[in-house]
Amino acid sequence: MDLCITIKGVSFLLQTGLGILGNASVLMAYAHMAFVEPRLQPVDRILAHLAFSNLLLLLTRGVPQTMVIFGLHNLLNDPGCKVVIYAYRIHRALSVCLTSMLSVFQALTIMPSAGPYLTRLKSRLPQLVVPTFVGLWLLNMVVCTGAALFALAPRNGTVPAFTLNLGFCHVDFRDNLSYVVNGAALSTRDFTFVAIMLASSGYILVLLHKHSRQVRSIRRAQQGTSMELRAAKTVVMLVVLYTVFFGIDNVIWIYMLTVAQVPAVVADMRVFFSSCYATFSPFLMISTNKKIKERMMCAAGEQSAEHSIEKPSK
């Protein structure tokens, strides 16, 4: 096997494997929390949904991409390609939308109450989580229909112009207008939600700066507020992580929109960088979220205790 193909295959394999493990661990931790706690906080519910979307993103894109690199072809037929590509596009979109939602909800949570309207809004945040989830799902199911319409199983021969060659599937837009309109719609949605998350994260940073200047006695007295501010720092780090990979992803995407036939190496680079957030974000959650770490340590401790009980005595 060619050295470049081996390096690419190992890179995608590590990225996909680590991402699946990390997101599955976060989901199991939140499942345990939901079982033992009466109700999850809005930010915890959003983080759990984000981990779920990132997990599905890696399963529908990273897994088939890795299999193709290692020589497994003809994985899907036309209907299979439509389903997998549609699911991938939706969960990739939900990744940015949920990160934006997370930053907005966290900004509202730590925002000082400045009137009855804001107080009522903050008190209704738990009730707004599910309707917001539904709205984001419906939005992205509509915006991502182009992928389902144009996705096809790979054909033998030359890849037609205005076709995204994903390896295991092709997305054939037929003409330049469909190609550009689809790309513009996706980019507009992504840039809108990134702008929202950057604005709300900027506000969070302003509040964190103001809080750091308060007297230590007040900070110690407001333990709940401190917990909220620690969560806010996690949200800001997730936004920074997403923005970095989003920038790289969209530089490549804008280049792809300017050419009729995209080189395979360019498409592979975009896939890799667009999946990096899904891979690294769960480990950021685990390292910065005390509740997730406690649940994982608790589960590890219970498993260790079960093994010690089952071990026969000599």
Side-chain angles (χ1 to χ4, degrees), residues 68-305:
V68 167
I69 291 172
F70 282 110
L72 298 174
H73 300 286
N74 302 319
L75 298 175
L76 300 167
N77 55 15
D78 287 352
C81 279
K82 294 181 186 299
V83 171
V84 170
I85 297 301
Y86 188 49
Y88 163 70
R89 287 290 182 90
I90 288 176
H91 288 290
R92 181 189 177 279
L94 284 172
S95 185
V96 58
C97 294
L98 290 169
T99 305
S100 179
M101 176 185 174
L102 181 65
S103 63
V104 171
F105 270 60
Q106 190 60 56
L108 290 172
T109 299
I110 67 174
M111 181 186 296
S113 298
Y117 175 77
L118 186 57
T119 302
R120 286 197 303 271
L121 178 61
K122 292 175 70 172
S123 65
R124 293 188 62 231
L125 284 180
Q127 288 77 41
L128 293 174
V129 173
V130 173
T132 307
F133 283 163
V134 173
L136 293 177
W137 270 89
L138 292 176
L139 169 67
N140 291 304
M141 288 174 70
V142 172
V143 174
C144 297
T145 51
L149 292 174
F150 299 119
L152 299 168
R155 273 33 174 191
N156 294 328
T158 305
V159 178
F162 311 113
T163 298
L164 295 179
N165 183 2
L166 307 180
F168 59 95
C169 291
H170 290 170
V171 183
D172 184 1
F173 289 101
R174 310 292 181 184
D175 54 53
N176 182 59
L177 179 61
S178 301
Y179 187 67
V180 173
V181 167
N182 177 76
L186 298 180
S187 296
T188 300
R189 178 206 58 206
D190 289 352
F191 277 104
T192 299
F193 280 99
V194 168
I196 293 171
M197 77 168 70
L198 289 175
S200 54
S201 297
Y203 180 72
I204 290 173
L205 288 174
V206 171
L207 292 180
L208 291 174
H209 179 67
K210 289 182 178 179
H211 181 265
S212 67
R213 298 173 63 181
Q214 292 178 350
V215 294
R216 293 183 179 181
S217 58
I218 296 178
R219 191 184 307 170
R220 285 195 297 266
Q222 296 179 346
Q223 185 178 1
T225 303
S226 296
M227 292 176 61
E228 292 172 353
L229 291 173
R230 283 198 298 270
K233 293 177 182 178
T234 301
V235 172
V236 171
M237 286 188 283
L238 282 171
V239 169
V240 171
L241 184 68
Y242 184 88
T243 304
V244 170
F245 291 120
F246 173 82
I248 299 172
D249 177 17
N250 277 271
V251 167
I252 301 173
W253 176 238
I254 291 170
Y255 165 75
M256 291 170 66
L257 289 176
T258 64
V259 297
Q261 199 150 5
V262 180
V265 65
V266 175
D268 288 340
M269 286 174 59
R270 183 173 183 242
V271 172
F272 183 83
F273 284 112
S274 65
S275 301
C276 280
Y277 177 71
T279 298
F280 294 122
S281 60
F283 296 102
L284 180 58
M285 295 181 204
I286 293 169
S287 63
T288 58
N289 191 309
K290 287 181 63 177
K291 294 170 70 174
I292 295 177
K293 284 194 289 188
E294 287 172 359
R295 297 302 175 188
M296 293 179 68
M297 292 175 65
C298 178
E302 289 176 356
Q303 187 176 14
S304 177

